[in-house]
Amino acid sequence: MAEIIQKDGTWVFDGDALRLTPGRDKNVSLFRKTLGELVVPLGALAGISFEQGKKAGRLRLRLRDGADPLLLASGGRLTEPHDPYQLIVESDRYGVAEYFTDEVRNALLLDQVPPDPVDAYLLPGPSVPLSVSAGDGTASFDGERIRLEWNWKTEDAKAAAGARVIGLTDVTAVEWHPAVGLENGHLRFTVRNAPTKAPPKYDPNAVELWGFKKDPLMALVAAAVQARLPHPAAADVRRPDPEDSRTPLPAAAEDDHDALLRRLRELGELHRTCVLTDEEFTLAKQAILKRM
């Protein structure tokens, strides 16, 4: 087991997963404190790095694309204070951080975790029910329904219709944008059969954000909804139809999971005995992992 404890938080790696706990220091953001502890399975990782600085360093995790609904819903726009996959490391703990990094990297190599994108969420997203007030409204989500309620700062045209309730089955997409410079941010839900080009200020399916302290918390609502929507990478996958001759038939028995694992072991042996070059081994391994 590897562990690093800092004011910014505590990271623990047990060989199978990383447990990321935010610190209680006053400099830890409200977003990270509200999000709470994260458990990241090793299979969700694409890499880890440690960057040294003059006064402090930084541990960074890189997740595989599509593994985390939070990163997907926020589009990677969480700024540094709110990013749960970064940890500030004090200079007297650089040695511990380097050891931690090596342990995670070695586990990724031993488990042959590919850095490729995934077609299913490997993290569960924030728990529900969840309710956040920021900008011109309050967004609540109970796992099945989204409720948007407006405050006195909401534009009359949007507030006139009253509170908005959206069923999860009617949502096709969700996105969170932070306020940047003079441009306001938003939490927006794309609703089936109701396309709109209206700015968030007037869109009844969006909460406008103005760059205040609680704005990042809206990303939690976005992530909770995203985690319960079909994964974007799997949305276009066509299910086999036995009556449609154009649909590829299921793979033969030798392509089952156990057979693919055996093939991986055989490739590893061929690589170790120099029958396969590094490039040939990598290409063959990637092909098998995709079929798995």
Side-chain angles (χ1 to χ4, degrees), residues 94-172:
Y94 281 1
V96 178
E98 289 171 347
Y99 170 76
F100 189 95
T101 301
D102 288 342
E103 287 293 291
V104 176
R105 284 178 177 168
N106 288 338
L108 288 170
L109 287 172
L110 287 172
D111 283 27
Q112 296 186 336
V113 178
D116 305 343
V118 297
D119 58 7
Y121 299 121
L122 301 180
L123 281 85
S127 59
V128 294
L130 187 62
S131 183
V132 175
S133 296
D136 68 352
T138 297
S140 305
F141 180 53
D142 63 5
E144 296 181 357
R145 289 172 296 277
I146 302 156
R147 182 178 177 85
L148 303 179
E149 299 176 88
W150 314 116
N151 57 37
W152 63 273
K153 295 170 281 188
T154 309
E155 278 291 322
D156 292 343
K158 187 161 79 171
R164 176 90 165 130
V165 177
I166 310 169
L168 181 63
T169 54
D170 293 326
V171 176
T172 59

Side-chain angles (χ1 to χ4, degrees), residues 14-279:
D14 64 5
D16 295 318
L18 290 97
R19 190 175 297 273
L20 316 179
T21 307
R24 298 181 179 180
D25 189 74
K26 64 180 180 179
N27 293 323
V28 177
S29 73
L30 176 62
F31 175 84
R32 286 179 58 206
K33 289 179 178 178
T34 304
L35 177 61
E37 185 177 82
L38 285 175
V39 177
V40 183
L42 184 65
L45 282 185
I48 182 172
S49 64
F50 174 57
E51 304 160 6
Q52 294 188 14
K54 291 183 179 180
K55 295 183 178 179
R58 200 170 297 273
L59 271 172
R60 300 177 190 268
L61 294 181
R62 183 166 57 88
L63 271 63
R64 297 170 67 185
D65 290 344
D68 183 14
L70 172 61
L71 294 182
L72 200 59
S74 63
R77 299 181 187 91
L78 285 169
T79 54
E80 192 171 278
H82 312 299
D83 187 348
Y85 301 116
Q86 296 188 31
L87 181 72
I88 298 174
V89 179
E90 297 166 12
S91 58
D92 62 347
R93 290 293 181 270
Y94 281 1
V96 178
E98 289 171 347
Y99 170 76
F100 189 95
T101 301
D102 288 342
E103 287 293 291
V104 176
R105 284 178 177 168
N106 288 338
L108 288 170
L109 287 172
L110 287 172
D111 283 27
Q112 296 186 336
V113 178
D116 305 343
V118 297
D119 58 7
Y121 299 121
L122 301 180
L123 281 85
S127 59
V128 294
L130 187 62
S131 183
V132 175
S133 296
D136 68 352
T138 297
S140 305
F141 180 53
D142 63 5
E144 296 181 357
R145 289 172 296 277
I146 302 156
R147 182 178 177 85
L148 303 179
E149 299 176 88
W150 314 116
N151 57 37
W152 63 273
K153 295 170 281 188
T154 309
E155 278 291 322
D156 292 343
K158 187 161 79 171
R164 176 90 165 130
V165 177
I166 310 169
L168 181 63
T169 54
D170 293 326
V171 176
T172 59
V174 57
E175 62 179 9
W176 171 84
H177 282 262
V180 179
L182 298 177
E183 183 181 349
N184 291 338
H186 64 262
L187 167 68
R188 190 197 296 269
F189 302 96
T190 302
V191 179
R192 196 183 313 278
N193 300 323
T196 179
K197 294 184 179 179
K201 185 176 184 177
Y202 302 106
D203 184 357
N205 298 318
V207 177
E208 186 179 38
L209 305 172
W210 300 314
F212 297 137
K213 184 178 180 181
K214 291 188 176 181
D215 282 13
L217 298 182
M218 282 292 183
L220 297 178
V221 179
V225 173
Q226 184 72 63
R228 290 160 177 82
L229 293 177
H231 194 283
D236 296 329
V237 175
R238 189 179 175 201
R239 294 184 178 275
D241 181 356
E243 296 182 3
D244 186 351
S245 59
R246 295 168 299 175
T247 303
L249 294 175
E254 65 264 23
D255 287 341
D256 65 15
H257 189 264
D258 290 339
L260 293 173
L261 285 176
R262 287 196 299 272
R263 183 58 180 154
L264 272 177
R265 287 193 290 270
E266 292 168 2
L267 285 174
E269 185 60 28
L270 291 172
H271 182 236
R272 280 191 294 273
T273 55
C274 298
V275 175
L276 292 178
T277 65
D278 291 346
E279 183 179 0

